[in-house]
Amino acid sequence: MKAVAITEHGGPEVLQWVDVEDPTPAAGEVVVDVVASALNRADVMQRWGLYPLQPGWSPYPGLEVSGRISAIGEGVTGWQVGDEVCALLTGGGYAQKVAVPAGQLLTIPKGVGLTEAAGLPEVTATVWSNIVMTAGLKAGETLLVHGGAGGVGTMAIQIAKALGARVVTTVGGAVKAAQARELGADAAIDYRTDDFTEHGPYDVILDVVGGDYLERNVRSLAADGRLVVIGLQKGLEGQLNLAEIVFKRASVHGTTLRTRSKEYKAEVVGEVQKNVWPMIENGTVKLVIDQTLPMADAAEGHRLMEAGGHLGKILLIN
């Protein structure tokens, strides 16, 4: 098969479409013939060498795919060769085939095309596991979503609204602010001209930015507020006033889905299938796709993501 390999750490040009060995399913796994994959920020971090691979991880980027099952490993039940699926991965999605633990497979939601479904697993699992399973967002609470124009942001806005929360988001520019409001955001703050701390307090904050946002995030939390940091776009370090946490009874969580166990990912996938898929099937929540590119042009997709002008997901098609 062919896959997108990271030939060395660096810019998008290090991504090369090369011949590699076909995967075989281990016990508990299936092989999926990949129809499409999707870009995520973790892929960019991996390309730059900021996401070290752990033993057993695929060396190829790509945290989600859609496609058809072509082989089934020992002990797998409930799935058959030919089934159309989408899947949450630890890596390897930028390829023509990928081996996946069966617990990380999802059916294709009704009304969603097989290609389009490639953009669902990572964002839905990330949003649900963080704002619901970790932060416990409740109806009537206020959620602040940083990066409301990205794949995670556009999904978080919609899921939180479906759960009955008030949603505020930060975006870059008036056009993206209008688009965020169309998705259901109650307020969209242009971070280039406005300070999100003046629009709080927030019960839950989902932060993909990191860096110096830490202090402002905590300062913006309501009493018993919860901050969940899932991205490091602005750096690895930030200052923290511990008194803000103590007297607000606030909590700060740092999470990444990629490094969690297969068992935890299977739990998240089950929660997503049960709770988010109905939202998609009844039209309450939709996947926002910016554009699609051939898998071999993954480097161009990375350039687009790093430029920051996209809204929603960028898909890679075989």
Side-chain angles (χ1 to χ4, degrees):
M1 72 170 187
K2 285 187 175 292
V4 175
I6 300 174
T7 55
E8 59 181 317
H9 295 144
E13 68 279 358
V14 306
L15 298 175
Q16 299 293 322
W17 187 235
V18 298
D19 291 310
V20 300
E21 292 187 6
D22 285 16
T24 55
E29 292 183 342
V30 306
V31 170
V32 174
D33 287 351
V34 177
V35 169
S37 185
L39 272 66
N40 289 279
R41 285 284 174 184
D43 305 336
V44 174
M45 292 176 64
Q46 180 179 341
R47 196 196 73 224
W48 281 112
L50 300 176
Y51 219 133
L53 297 181
Q54 298 186 13
W57 288 15
S58 170
Y60 316 119
L63 298 178
E64 55 192 339
V65 294
S66 61
R68 299 176 180 88
I69 295 175
S70 60
I72 295 179
E74 182 181 353
V76 173
T77 59
W79 301 99
Q80 298 181 350
V81 170
D83 283 349
E84 294 187 343
V85 297
C86 54
L88 178 69
L89 309 176
T90 303
Y94 292 15
Q96 292 176 323
K97 297 175 181 287
V98 66
V100 187
Q104 293 166 216
L105 297 172
L106 295 127
T107 60
I108 306 298
K110 295 176 183 177
V112 176
L114 182 58
T115 297
E116 180 186 5
L120 285 172
E122 178 68 17
V123 290
T124 54
T126 295
V127 171
W128 190 265
S129 65
N130 284 296
I131 70 171
V132 177
M133 297 172 69
T134 297
L137 181 69
K138 302 177 183 65
E141 291 189 320
T142 297
L143 170 70
L144 171 63
V145 179
H146 288 302
V152 169
T154 54
M155 184 59 64
I157 290 169
Q158 296 178 84
I159 290 179
K161 286 301 294 183
L163 293 172
R166 175 177 176 267
V167 180
V168 180
T169 188
T170 58
V171 293
V175 172
K176 288 184 178 179
Q179 293 167 329
R181 286 190 291 269
E182 289 178 5
L183 289 173
D186 296 281
I189 301 164
D190 185 348
Y191 64 81
R192 298 170 181 173
T193 59
D194 201 356
D195 184 356
F196 68 84
T197 64
E198 298 179 0
H199 298 263
Y202 310 105
D203 298 291
V204 176
I205 299 176
L206 184 64
D207 181 25
V208 299
V209 180
D212 63 7
Y213 268 40
L214 177 61
E215 185 276 331
R216 287 193 286 160
N217 282 333
V218 172
R219 178 156 40 97
S220 302
L221 285 174
D224 299 306
R226 293 87 74 195
L227 165 64
V228 186
V229 181
I230 63 170
L232 304 168
Q233 295 176 29
K234 289 195 69 175
L236 308 181
E237 297 183 0
Q239 293 189 344
L240 188 60
N241 182 344
L242 293 177
E244 293 274 5
I245 294 179
V246 171
F247 292 114
K248 289 181 177 179
R249 303 178 304 278
S251 57
V252 178
H253 304 266
T255 72
T256 174
L257 186 57
R258 187 177 193 180
T259 59
R260 301 300 288 261
S261 68
K262 290 187 293 185
E263 292 77 14
Y264 181 79
K265 290 175 184 174
E267 179 185 357
V268 173
V269 163
E271 287 286 306
V272 166
Q273 180 96 46
K274 176 183 176 181
N275 296 289
V276 181
W277 260 216
M279 297 177 183
I280 295 170
E281 292 176 347
N282 67 24
T284 303
V285 170
K286 64 179 181 179
L287 177 67
V288 180
I289 296 175
D290 185 84
Q291 59 184 288
T292 61
L293 296 167
M295 187 79 72
D297 292 342
E300 177 60 21
H302 277 231
R303 292 187 188 97
L304 292 169
M305 174 166 276
E306 289 186 285
H310 63 290
L311 177 74
K313 299 288 287 188
I314 299 170
L315 303 186
L316 301 175
I317 312 300
N318 274 320

